[in-house]
Amino acid sequence: MKFKKTPESLVKDPGLDETIKNLTPERIVQVVNRVLTKENSARLQAYLDTCVHCGLCADACHTYVSRDKDPLFAPVSKVRQTLWELVRRKGNVDGEFIRNAARIAFTECGVCRRCSMYCPFGIDMAYLLLIVRRICSLLGVVPVYLQDTTNSHSVTSNQMWVQQDEWIDTLQWQEEEAQAELSTVRIPLEKEGADVMYSVIAPEPKILAQLLGNMAIIFKAAGEDWTMPATDGWDNSNMAMYSGDFEIMGRVERLHWETAARLKVKKIIMGECGHAFRGAVYDGPRWLSWQYPPIPMIHAIEYYYDLISSGRIKIKQKYQEHVTIQDPCNTVRGRGLGDKLRYIVDALCEKFTDVDPKQEHNYCCAAGGGVINCGPPWKRSRMLSNRVKAEQLGKTGADVIITPCHNCHSGIEDIIGFYNLGMHVKFINEILVECMEKPEESEG
Amino acid sequence: MYEFSRGPLVWIAFIVLIGGTIYRVAKIYRDSKKERVVHPYMSLSHGMRSIAHWLVPFGARNMRMRPVFTVMSFLFHICLLLTPIFLLGHVMLFEQSWGISWWTLPDGLANVMTILVVVAVTVFALRRLAHPVVRFVTKTSDWVLLVIVAAPFVTGLLAYYQVFDYRTVMILHMWSGALWLMVIPFTRIVHMIFFPLTRAYMGSEFGHVRSARDW
């Protein structure tokens, strides 16, 4: 089978174009067979044998629907062009094949698992494309920007090369910022025995630091006994999970859990990020042979829900803008938090219009799963792959899109720009801090 | 030839079907133990919940999105499975050999159900040609499987209406039926055996582990 030429196959990415020059046929065969026979077994076999090539998964995929139903972009077509061929040829493929397989698996699928909800047999196509990514990663063929985040995890344990001094400085700076609003706010570092460790991902200290200050205010208002580590181990966003470098993925998650254990916290609250949650709760522990996480972890959605429903935080004035929701795959399809998310939005906002389809059936943001981390070379392709999202959001008529996920946030902002939707994206934390009753006011 | 088809061939077909099924299930069970992420997360109730949603017509969003295909698909599978088991002619053969019998379909209904299978296979074949995605992922083996599945029903109809030489058609019918039974465990028709397994696993992953729905 020859790959059909699409505009995307002409995109230049040194992570793919240069690295395939180092491949030898023997190495490809060796890696493919290792992954197909040593690392995977029953699920791969059952999925390959059970698929009846019916194409019922096609309409589930935002890439396929957005690209005028081009058959090359249906989930089963992506598997056909990559994994089926690798299995059939027992790994006897050339560098060009690996390049195209990497392009499909990394940039045209966000492993959001929506398609597995549309397959009558529940075939997990995201898992199949992660196998392709794993093969590409072991061969060193990974989009260069994505590989850079994995390298950063390897060196610093966070995804954006944040050094320890920068991390501490940023927290202290945000503590001061928050104190301008509420003078008693602290960001407690290294507090052993605190009830809660708060986990964030590297984009927060790096580019969205005010989210840290907001959270400090929310914790203060809720009277939470919390802490953050001053050492590495605070970030579990884990792009290595998506680049296919599971060894580094495991290291990042282990350090994160060990840091929480060192601080002797009772639980971890994960900030508004979806794939960090997935890495910490599912993929990381499984790679480390732990059935479940060693310390309970809840996502920010669950925490806000608890705060509002228990009355620990009261809403002073509702947010006035017309809002809608972007359901993140890893917390809604991956944790069933869609109802709690809606409870929060209803409690916080005056006017809320839901999306259609919603909850588990929501369309992917096309940024998660490492797709946005493939960087500028692939941005246009990513935009073309999610026209359906722009149409879905446009239909709500809302002005603000609330999404508790960093990938969704960035991806949706790009889509708003590309399709001129004239909307804004917000985290829950930004709206909550604006609308809630703050302690000093109630004291006064 | 007729005697062989009537006797040993049927035995061979059922031995291959049952033996093959046991082999496939045993192998997938053994291999799934090697994958540490399967057994610890299986949940009977969530697995059954998922199977139920996907066995009931329109129980899943994907089925509601394409009502014509859903009706077609359900009719096809129901007729495909029930007609051979409850066909008067088949039950009579069991009665002659072993003296056991069970409820049978009225002839007219069985006839309609057989025609439905053939029509559905034709529609599936046309869909393989017409739908760009399905055409893109169709392999030669998909066509072979459609022929294998349709053959016992087509020959059954020919025998019923006594088209061509009855004896020859009957032999073809028995051979194609035996072939159909024998390929079940070893081709993609294995989805018949694996459906509850893959579905239960996905139902457990979604429902038990992730508190979400997979339909």
Side-chain angles (χ1 to χ4, degrees):
Chain A
M1 184 202 79
K2 285 197 81 68
F3 278 98
K4 297 198 179 157
K5 283 263 182 262
T6 63
E8 286 67 31
S9 43
L10 304 175
V11 173
K12 297 217 177 338
D13 185 327
L16 310 184
D17 307 330
E18 300 302 318
T19 50
I20 59 171
K21 292 176 186 163
N22 305 324
L23 298 175
T24 60
E26 299 76 38
R27 174 141 178 72
I28 299 176
V29 168
Q30 183 207 353
V31 164
V32 169
N33 287 328
R34 169 183 154 188
V35 173
L36 295 185
T37 61
K38 297 276 188 294
E39 294 191 4
N40 295 281
S41 181
R43 285 185 296 165
L44 174 62
Q45 200 56 52
Y47 291 158
L48 289 174
D49 288 350
T50 304
C51 177
V52 292
H53 311 168
C54 66
L56 288 177
C57 55
D59 286 310
C61 183
H62 58 274
T63 318
Y64 169 76
V65 179
S66 297
R67 289 172 179 267
D68 300 318
K69 307 205 170 193
D70 181 332
L72 291 178
F73 294 95
V76 63
S77 308
K78 296 175 200 172
V79 179
R80 177 211 194 279
Q81 294 172 85
T82 57
L83 196 59
W84 289 3
E85 286 299 304
L86 287 168
V87 171
R88 188 177 68 86
R89 297 199 224 164
K90 299 192 167 62
N92 286 302
V93 296
D94 57 10
E96 191 58 24
F97 180 97
I98 295 294
R99 189 206 181 282
N100 283 305
R103 188 242 314 154
I104 292 169
F106 285 113
T107 75
E108 291 163 12
C109 168
V111 292
C112 74
R113 295 177 113 208
R114 190 174 193 261
C115 48
S116 54
M117 297 172 60
Y118 287 74
C119 170
F121 305 105
I123 294 174
D124 191 346
M125 279 156 277
Y127 158 75
L128 298 178
L129 284 155
L130 277 174
I131 292 177
V132 178
R133 289 188 185 191
R134 172 69 174 164
I135 290 169
C136 293
S137 172
L138 288 172
L139 291 170
V141 183
V142 177
V144 71
Y145 280 82
L146 180 60
Q147 185 58 45
D148 182 72
T149 62
T150 302
N151 296 349
S152 171
H153 276 303
S154 175
V155 176
T156 66
S157 186
N158 68 71
Q159 69 158 288
M160 287 185 159
W161 303 99
V162 179
Q163 302 298 318
Q164 191 181 11
D165 58 337
E166 297 170 332
W167 165 243
I168 296 171
D169 273 358
T170 307
L171 294 179
Q172 289 181 339
W173 161 49
Q174 276 307 310
E175 186 178 71
E176 283 173 26
E177 289 284 319
Q179 283 169 350
E181 195 153 339
L182 192 60
S183 61
T184 51
V185 167
R186 295 295 315 274
I187 298 185
L189 292 184
E190 292 291 316
K191 185 180 173 193
E192 202 176 291
D195 286 343
V196 166
M197 178 172 112
Y198 182 54
S199 283
V200 294
I201 67 167
E204 298 214 1
K206 196 84 176 180
I207 49 180
L208 291 159
Q210 76 281 5
L211 295 176
L212 288 158
N214 289 350
M215 208 59 200
I217 297 172
I218 292 167
F219 279 135
K220 180 72 194 173
E224 197 65 73
D225 176 21
W226 69 295
T227 189
M228 292 183 102
T231 59
D232 291 344
W234 48 269
D235 178 3
N236 60 330
S237 56
N238 221 330
M239 298 321 301
M241 167 173 73
Y242 288 138
S243 75
D245 195 333
F246 299 154
E247 287 77 10
I248 291 179
M249 185 240 331
R251 259 171 52 201
V252 170
E253 298 303 341
R254 182 191 288 276
L255 180 63
H256 178 250
W257 289 112
E258 286 179 349
T259 303
R262 178 173 61 76
L263 291 172
K264 300 188 170 62
V265 295
K266 295 194 184 68
K267 70 175 170 190
I268 299 176
I269 295 175
M270 178 69 235
E272 294 181 49
C273 179
H275 70 251
F277 186 77
R278 167 176 172 163
V281 175
Y282 302 125
D283 294 38
R286 288 179 184 197
W287 178 262
L288 296 167
S289 297
W290 305 341
Q291 188 174 1
Y292 295 108
I295 298 168
M297 181 183 214
I298 61 168
H299 190 265
I301 300 172
E302 291 167 281
Y303 184 62
Y304 302 144
Y305 171 83
D306 289 343
L307 289 182
I308 296 171
S309 63
S310 67
R312 275 171 80 191
I313 285 219
K314 294 191 172 55
I315 307 305
K316 190 176 65 181
Q317 175 162 27
K318 282 197 172 185
Y319 188 66
Q320 294 301 313
E321 303 261 5
H322 182 189
V323 305
T324 187
I325 284 177
Q326 154 68 11
D327 290 289
C329 62
N330 285 318
T331 47
V332 173
R333 195 173 304 124
R335 193 63 164 188
L337 298 181
D339 289 330
K340 288 186 175 175
L341 175 57
R342 279 162 181 76
Y343 176 91
I344 297 165
V345 170
D346 272 329
L348 285 179
C349 304
E350 198 66 56
K351 190 172 181 204
F352 162 51
T353 307
D354 215 333
V355 280
D356 176 40
K358 64 181 177 178
Q359 300 241 16
E360 287 98 332
H361 291 279
N362 181 41
Y363 286 115
C364 173
C365 64
V371 178
I372 194 170
N373 303 72
C374 295
W378 302 98
K379 185 180 171 189
R380 189 178 160 77
S381 168
R382 178 160 58 85
M383 294 298 100
L384 296 177
S385 290
N386 217 358
R387 193 183 66 213
V388 66
K389 178 97 262 163
E391 290 164 0
Q392 179 202 27
L393 292 171
K395 268 185 217 148
T396 64
D399 302 308
V400 171
I401 301 152
I402 298 175
T403 185
C405 173
H406 278 273
N407 272 309
C408 291
H409 192 97
S410 312
I412 300 292
E413 269 189 346
D414 286 342
I415 283 163
I416 289 171
F418 189 83
Y419 291 99
N420 293 317
L421 291 178
M423 299 164 134
H424 297 282
V425 193
K426 281 197 182 290
F427 291 99
I428 300 175
N429 148 337
E430 298 174 274
I431 296 176
L432 182 58
V433 90
E434 190 182 319
C435 299
M436 71 183 191
E437 229 170 62
K438 300 197 184 74
E440 277 176 341
E441 296 166 21
S442 56
E443 283 161 20
Chain B
M1 191 65 171
Y2 183 86
E3 285 314 310
F4 174 76
S5 311
R6 164 82 177 80
L9 181 67
V10 184
W11 278 103
I12 292 168
F14 275 100
I15 288 168
V16 172
L17 168 67
I18 294 165
T21 302
I22 292 170
Y23 168 74
R24 290 306 304 261
V25 172
K27 181 157 190 328
I28 212 82
Y29 180 77
R30 209 190 60 203
D31 288 351
S32 67
K33 292 223 141 179
K34 279 193 269 177
E35 292 205 39
R36 291 168 303 190
V37 301
V38 177
H39 288 270
Y41 303 101
M42 291 299 276
S43 147
L44 184 65
S45 60
H46 290 99
M48 298 300 285
R49 189 178 75 162
S50 178
I51 291 171
H53 268 276
W54 285 91
L55 276 186
V56 173
F58 302 104
R61 182 172 190 262
N62 202 9
M63 297 185 205
R64 295 192 289 274
M65 283 165 65
R66 51 188 91 249
V68 176
F69 185 84
T70 300
V71 170
M72 195 75 188
S73 176
F74 271 92
L75 281 178
F76 166 73
H77 283 99
I78 291 167
C79 296
L80 181 76
L81 290 176
L82 296 189
T83 317
I85 298 175
F86 295 108
L87 189 81
L88 178 64
H90 291 178
V91 176
M92 274 168 59
L93 290 174
F94 277 94
E95 195 170 18
Q96 283 168 14
S97 304
W98 294 349
I100 56 165
S101 67
W102 52 85
W103 179 85
T104 57
L105 288 161
D107 252 14
L109 181 60
N111 197 29
V112 171
M113 288 167 75
T114 310
I115 291 169
L116 270 174
V117 171
V118 178
V119 170
V121 169
T122 313
V123 172
F124 292 154
L126 292 174
R127 186 171 173 270
R128 284 213 176 275
L129 293 171
H131 194 302
V133 172
V134 188
R135 193 170 61 221
F136 182 64
V137 299
T138 293
K139 295 182 174 188
T140 314
S141 56
D142 292 306
W143 295 111
V144 175
L145 285 183
L146 279 180
V147 170
I148 291 177
V149 169
F153 292 86
V154 172
T155 50
L157 279 177
L158 293 179
Y160 182 77
Y161 289 108
Q162 312 234 349
V163 189
F164 306 125
D165 174 47
Y166 180 74
R167 210 173 161 79
T168 312
V169 169
M170 271 321 281
I171 289 171
L172 283 174
H173 176 68
M174 289 189 275
W175 278 82
S176 60
L179 181 65
W180 179 68
L181 290 175
M182 287 189 286
V183 301
I184 287 175
F186 306 106
T187 60
R188 276 191 293 285
I189 309 179
V190 79
H191 71 257
M192 179 177 150
I193 303 164
F194 283 172
F195 168 82
L197 307 180
T198 55
R199 199 67 261 170
Y201 173 67
M202 197 41 113
S204 303
E205 266 290 316
F206 265 77
H208 176 56
V209 180
R210 291 157 208 263
S211 314
R213 290 158 293 217
D214 64 331
W215 54 83

